[in-house]
């Protein structure tokens, strides 16, 4: 039976010890990934309990948004629907995963208050729960992606393995932002509002609804937008394009630094989080 | 297979609660503090309440420890520290054996999910694998006595029915160290008897019980040792037969 048969908790013994304890929490959580997965599935099914379409409701509303924005903007920009609609569809679906993971990250620890204050479950389990839940949601939205790619004939040029690598980078980066938002939200109740505003802002400054080449000489500004790189790494290969090498470099660096910083913060205030809730 | 030794030990355990008022949780206040440079004096550090100070004790298999003390004396905090949820500020807590905290029966209960789903969820949280939950499902379902209601959402249950479900699910675990905040009594008279028997069995199987309660008779009934807490300071662990002396002290 996979339960903790030995538990040791001690007072602070210096920063190195705090890192070891944080690493132990991480290890314990990876040993129980199936629990995080079950909790994530439970979240998805309980949110849509009793509805006929279940999680496909968000898929449907996303599909409508894709259709609306796709058709209207294609006319506004004067771009062929064939080029534009797939761009918007993939943009909305994958940006949805990023913003879902990040904004729901704010509730990661707050919603787990009950369990965290009376069990020794690893805290990382709840981080995985949020990430897995968004992956499950993405699984439902893939219907849109597959449908659009087939309908507009992109399936012939789509490079799925490369897109999958991009998706790993996307999740890796959305993951640490989500966890950081979770820690910050536990301490400061203003953070969820701030995160929401930032993500709302981000959807407009990231080429979700508009083609990159429209930026012209301002393109360099976009290079600083992390969400642009996260999105490009998945969307470009699916539309038959190629991803610039510096995008991977940017994403890898961001993931390494981001997780490093997040883990360091977690290690330092891990024992306080339960008291924040 | 020989079971590993079960034990609970605390050494110089000290737990402080930082009190984060609603104010302290606002980022604006936090930033504002930085801009005024803490001149107001009270900005340094958060108010801290010492819930447990310098507590040391050792429990071994067979020990049934009763905790007594006024409200706010640190009993529940100690139980939470033993469950591994609260980290000590100083000293250490060490528990060998599987811990089952029965502190809040409502833990992990989702009112919109069915009885079966809740049993499953609760079991998973308590550390059972999916397969182990399946194996126990029939027994748990039978014990609740809820029959066909188990397939219905828990929110349609009466309070008593919900308590039955929560109790059955929470006590389906096998534990070496059982933590309880008040002796659990749920349901109607008939169910209370069944519940009582089940709880006793669980206690018998567990190597160690830590039970916080205000009822001295209850402690005499189930415990063989007792510890009195007052303002976060614990008395030495004493034999239950000296309970009266302890209370008079």
């Amino acid at each position: 039976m996979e339960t903790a048969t030995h538990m040791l908790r001690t007072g602070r013994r210096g920063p190195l010890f705090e890192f070891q304890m944080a690493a132990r929490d991480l290890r314990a959580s990876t040993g129980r990934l199936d629990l995080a997965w079950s909790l994530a599935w439970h979240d998805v099914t309980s949110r849509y309990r009793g509805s006929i379409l279940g999680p496909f409701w968000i898929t449907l509303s996303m599909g409508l948004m894709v259709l609306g924005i796709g058709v209207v903007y294609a006319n506004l920009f004067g771009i062929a629907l064939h080029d534009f609609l797939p761009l918007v569809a993939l943009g909305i679906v994958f940006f949805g995963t990023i913003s879902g993971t990040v904004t729901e990250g704010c509730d990661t620890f707050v919603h787990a208050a009950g369990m965290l204050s009376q069990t020794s479950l690893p805290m990382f389990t709840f981080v995985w729960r949020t990430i897995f839940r968004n992956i499950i949601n993405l699984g439902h939205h893939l219907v849109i992606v597959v449908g659009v790619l087939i309908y507009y004939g992109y399936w012939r040029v789509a490079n799925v393995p490369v897109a999958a690598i991009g998706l790993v980078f996307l999740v890796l980066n959305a993951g640490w932002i989500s966890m950081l938002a979770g820690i910050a939200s536990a301490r400061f109740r203003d953070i969820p509002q701030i995160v929401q505003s930032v993500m709302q802002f981000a959807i407009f400054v990231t080429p979700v609804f508009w083609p990159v080449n429209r930026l012209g000489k301002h393109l360099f500004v976009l290079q600083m937008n992390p969400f642009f790189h996260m999105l490009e790494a998945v969307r470009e290969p699916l539309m038959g394009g190629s991803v610039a090498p510096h995008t991977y470099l940017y994403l890898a660096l961001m993931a390494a630094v981001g997780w490093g910083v997040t883990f360091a913060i977690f290690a330092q205030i891990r024992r306080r989080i339960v008291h924040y809730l | 297979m020989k079971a590993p030794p079960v034990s609970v030990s605390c050494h110089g355990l000290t737990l402080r609660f930082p009190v984060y008022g609603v104010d302290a949780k606002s980022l604006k206040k936090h930033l504002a503090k930085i801009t005024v440079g803490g001149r107001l004096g009270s900005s340094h550090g958060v108010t801290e309440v010492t819930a447990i100070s310098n507590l040391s004790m050792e429990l071994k298999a067979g020990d049934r420890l009763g905790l007594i003390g006024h409200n706010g004396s640190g009993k529940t905090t100690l139980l939470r520290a033993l469950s591994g949820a609260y980290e000590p500020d100083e000293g250490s807590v060490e528990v060998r054996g599987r811990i089952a905290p029965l502190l809040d029966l409502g833990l992990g209960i989702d009112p919109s999910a069915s009885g079966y789903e809740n049993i499953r969820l609760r079991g998973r949280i308590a550390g059972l694998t999916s397969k182990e939950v399946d194996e126990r499902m029939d027994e748990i379902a039978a014990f609740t006595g809820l029959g066909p209601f188990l397939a219905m959402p828990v929110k349609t249950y009466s309070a008593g029915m919900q308590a039955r479900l929560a109790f059955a699910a929470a006590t389906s675990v096998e534990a070496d160290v059982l933590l309880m905040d008040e002796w659990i009594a749920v349901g109607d008279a008939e169910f209370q008897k069944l519940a009582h028997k089940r709880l006793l069995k669980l206690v018998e199987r567990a190597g160690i019980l830590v039970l916080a309660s205000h009822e001295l008779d209850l402690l005499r009934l189930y415990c063989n040792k007792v510890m009195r807490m007052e303002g976060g300071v614990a008395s030495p662990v004493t034999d239950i037969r000296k309970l009266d002396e302890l209370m008079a002290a």
Side-chain angles (χ1 to χ4, degrees):
Chain A
M1 194 159 116
E2 209 356 82
T3 37
T5 52
H6 181 217
M7 183 205 77
L8 176 64
R9 299 268 192 274
T10 64
R12 288 181 189 274
R13 289 181 188 167
L16 188 69
F17 179 73
E18 295 302 302
F19 271 98
Q20 283 170 352
M21 293 304 284
R24 183 181 290 186
D25 185 281
L26 176 60
R27 270 202 308 277
S29 79
T30 50
R32 298 189 66 180
L33 277 183
D34 59 321
L35 173 65
W37 186 252
S38 306
L39 288 171
W41 260 112
H42 179 83
D43 291 340
V44 174
T45 50
S46 67
R47 184 181 298 180
Y48 300 98
R49 193 178 304 282
S51 71
I52 299 167
L53 289 183
F56 283 108
W57 269 116
I58 359 173
T59 308
L60 190 74
S61 71
M62 244 184 200
L64 283 175
M65 195 158 121
V66 166
L67 211 64
I69 293 175
V71 173
V72 172
Y73 278 45
N75 278 305
L76 282 180
F77 287 135
I79 313 172
L81 204 58
H82 163 270
D83 293 328
F84 191 65
L85 199 116
L87 181 93
V88 172
L90 300 188
I92 290 179
V93 167
F94 290 109
F95 191 84
T97 303
I98 300 173
S99 82
T101 309
V102 172
T103 49
E104 288 173 26
C106 295
D107 297 328
T108 294
F109 297 119
V110 175
H111 279 182
M115 283 188 237
L116 286 176
S117 63
Q118 48 183 309
T119 64
S120 56
L121 287 178
M123 304 193 93
F124 264 104
T125 294
F126 299 97
V127 176
W128 307 144
R129 175 191 194 172
T130 302
I131 295 174
F132 287 164
R133 184 169 60 230
N134 280 282
I135 291 176
I136 293 168
N137 283 340
L138 174 65
H140 289 90
H141 303 332
L142 282 183
V143 174
I144 299 176
V145 173
V146 172
V148 165
L149 291 183
I150 289 176
Y151 187 79
Y152 288 103
Y154 281 94
W155 58 274
R156 286 188 216 95
V157 290
N159 192 340
V160 176
V162 173
I165 294 172
L167 187 61
V168 171
F169 275 113
L170 183 151
V171 172
L172 219 52
N173 278 299
W176 72 258
I177 303 174
S178 169
M179 181 169 178
L180 198 59
I183 297 173
S185 304
R187 179 69 180 85
F188 302 107
R189 298 300 152 104
D190 302 80
I191 299 289
Q193 267 66 22
I194 296 175
V195 169
Q196 244 166 40
S197 314
V198 169
M199 291 316 289
Q200 221 155 53
F201 175 72
I203 197 170
F204 293 109
V205 297
T206 307
V208 178
F209 309 131
W210 41 270
V212 179
N213 55 25
R214 291 273 150 158
L215 268 186
K217 64 179 165 53
H218 299 294
L219 189 66
F220 72 96
V221 182
L222 204 54
Q223 298 292 343
M224 286 183 274
N225 179 350
F227 302 115
F228 163 69
H229 294 283
M230 289 157 82
L231 191 57
E232 281 301 279
V234 186
R235 184 161 67 178
E236 272 308 299
L238 285 179
M239 295 189 66
S242 60
V243 183
H246 73 262
T247 286
Y248 288 121
L249 189 70
Y250 187 110
L251 289 175
L253 219 63
M254 182 164 85
V257 173
W259 275 112
V261 169
T262 306
F263 189 77
I265 292 174
F266 174 70
Q268 286 314 306
I269 63 168
R270 180 185 50 91
R271 38 175 91 234
R272 281 284 173 233
I273 292 177
V274 66
H275 297 307
Y276 294 156
L277 303 171
Chain B
M1 200 179 90
K2 196 173 158 286
V6 179
S7 70
V8 172
S9 58
C10 299
H11 288 288
L13 174 66
T14 298
L15 251 151
R16 295 189 200 93
F17 282 133
V19 181
Y20 300 99
V22 179
D23 272 350
K25 273 185 176 159
S26 154
L27 191 62
K28 190 176 81 187
K29 291 278 163 58
H30 206 72
L31 292 177
K33 267 195 317 209
I34 295 168
T35 52
V36 299
R39 273 186 304 152
L40 295 175
S42 60
S43 64
H44 285 296
V46 196
T47 318
E48 283 192 333
V49 176
T50 305
I52 297 178
S53 65
N54 200 16
L55 183 151
S56 298
M57 65 162 182
E58 297 277 346
L59 299 176
K60 53 184 194 320
D63 284 349
R64 313 262 178 264
L65 178 69
L67 294 176
I68 42 170
H70 297 295
N71 296 123
S73 59
K75 303 187 300 290
T76 306
T77 306
L78 177 59
L79 289 174
R80 289 189 174 181
L82 292 176
S83 79
Y86 286 175
E87 302 266 342
D89 287 284
E90 283 161 37
S92 66
V93 187
E94 191 170 9
V95 178
R96 289 179 192 278
R98 292 161 301 175
I99 309 166
L102 297 182
L103 304 183
D104 173 12
L105 284 186
L107 176 71
I109 294 287
D110 177 355
S112 64
S114 75
Y116 286 119
E117 282 169 300
N118 272 300
I119 294 174
R120 179 169 300 280
L121 198 65
R122 176 73 208 224
R124 295 305 310 277
I125 293 169
L128 301 179
T129 64
S130 205
K131 214 176 117 229
E132 283 168 326
V133 175
D134 285 337
E135 287 163 7
R136 283 155 210 235
M137 188 56 95
D138 288 342
E139 183 265 327
I140 300 170
F143 183 78
T144 63
L146 293 172
F149 283 99
L150 282 175
M152 296 185 14
V154 168
K155 63 184 171 196
T156 64
Y157 292 14
S158 73
M161 288 161 76
Q162 283 188 21
R164 278 179 173 230
L165 178 84
F167 178 83
T171 52
S172 66
V173 291
E174 272 163 45
D176 304 314
V177 178
L178 206 58
L179 308 174
M180 242 190 281
D181 204 351
E182 289 297 337
W183 187 261
I184 305 163
V186 289
D188 48 35
E190 184 197 358
F191 186 75
Q192 275 192 19
K193 254 187 250 158
L194 286 173
H196 190 79
K197 258 169 60 191
R198 186 177 169 98
L199 211 49
L200 275 184
K201 232 191 252 166
L202 197 64
V203 171
E204 273 163 29
R205 279 205 306 265
I208 296 175
L209 166 75
V210 182
L211 167 67
S213 179
H214 294 288
E215 302 209 25
L216 300 182
D217 294 335
L218 210 94
L219 293 178
R220 280 201 186 88
L221 202 56
Y222 302 119
C223 302
N224 54 15
K225 294 190 171 175
V226 68
M227 185 165 81
R228 184 179 178 192
M229 298 194 68
E230 203 163 347
V233 182
S235 74
V237 175
T238 38
D239 195 281
I240 192 77
R241 278 168 293 188
K242 295 188 182 143
L243 181 59
D244 290 326
E245 292 163 44
L246 190 68
M247 292 309 289

